[in-house]
Amino acid sequence: MFGYSLEVIYLTILIVIGCCTVLYLFFADVADASIDGIPFLDPAIILSFITFTAASGYIFEHFSSYTSLITFVIAIIIASIFTVLLYFFLLVPLRSAEVSLAYTDESLESQVARVIVPIPVDGFGEIVIEGVNGIISKRATSYHNIEIPYDAQVLIIEVREGTAFVAVYEKEAFSE
């Protein structure tokens, strides 16, 4: 075709689409926003389909004695199977995941923390909050203007301007 063997054409397509995939990794947010909601027009799906087609076409053209048409049909079938598997077992779960490492000051309120730098009267110390987002350290001051020692458990009452206002946390023991 055009004076080139089909192996060279498949390999060239594979290299070009590989470069496009790398570019897509850098500009995925822009591309995803432009066609949001149409799964079969998703660039990740289109690029993976072309990549799988070119790769399997090259392999079958190089290592088998099938005709070029049969090789192309087999490559399309293999690419379709792999693309469907990629979409349903990798891309859909990744897009539906709602895990975020971001937090707001309001989300810290009413959480229990541990003091890692003692909080003096009318001064600042530091607390650490352990949660699903990891470990967050925050500047803290006493809500009731009392001294809070190292390693005490505190309850975050409110967060203003990046400072957590805390009170000593006392667990109530219920006995029957």
Side-chain angles (χ1 to χ4, degrees):
M1 180 180 275
F2 305 113
Y4 298 103
S5 70
L6 283 176
E7 288 179 31
V8 172
I9 293 173
Y10 281 130
L11 194 57
T12 304
I13 291 172
L14 185 61
I15 291 169
V16 169
I17 295 299
C19 293
C20 290
T21 303
V22 170
L23 286 174
Y24 175 71
L25 288 174
F26 292 119
F27 302 110
D29 292 336
V30 175
D32 287 343
S34 64
I35 54 167
D36 197 26
I38 307 172
F40 58 86
L41 288 181
D42 186 359
I45 300 301
I46 294 170
L47 289 171
S48 65
F49 179 77
I50 296 171
T51 301
F52 289 137
T53 303
S56 52
Y58 174 76
I59 290 171
F60 274 98
E61 197 68 39
H62 188 72
F63 293 112
S64 73
S65 60
Y66 297 132
T67 64
S68 297
L69 181 63
I70 292 175
T71 300
F72 183 69
V73 169
I74 292 172
I76 293 285
I77 292 170
I78 290 172
S80 299
I81 292 169
F82 282 156
T83 304
V84 166
L85 291 174
L86 176 78
Y87 180 74
F88 285 112
F89 291 113
L90 187 66
L91 294 178
V92 169
L94 282 176
R95 289 196 177 126
S96 64
E98 295 184 15
V99 175
S100 173
L101 295 178
Y103 66 91
T104 62
D105 287 345
E106 291 81 25
S107 69
L108 297 178
E109 293 175 1
S110 76
Q111 289 195 21
V112 178
R114 188 170 48 88
V115 177
I116 58 173
V117 174
I119 302 171
V121 177
D122 292 329
F124 297 98
E126 192 170 350
I127 60 170
V128 68
I129 306 133
E130 297 178 17
V132 285
N133 295 339
I135 297 176
I136 303 166
S137 68
K138 206 84 168 136
R139 179 180 64 214
T141 188
S142 174
Y143 188 73
H144 300 293
N145 265 346
I146 61 170
E147 183 177 331
I148 303 176
Y150 170 78
D151 209 29
Q153 280 196 328
V154 292
L155 180 66
I156 301 173
I157 305 298
E158 68 178 314
V159 180
R160 278 186 285 169
E161 299 172 6
T163 302
F165 289 82
V166 298
V168 176
Y169 180 69
E170 297 171 4
K171 277 188 174 177
E172 288 186 19
F174 293 102
S175 60
E176 293 183 32

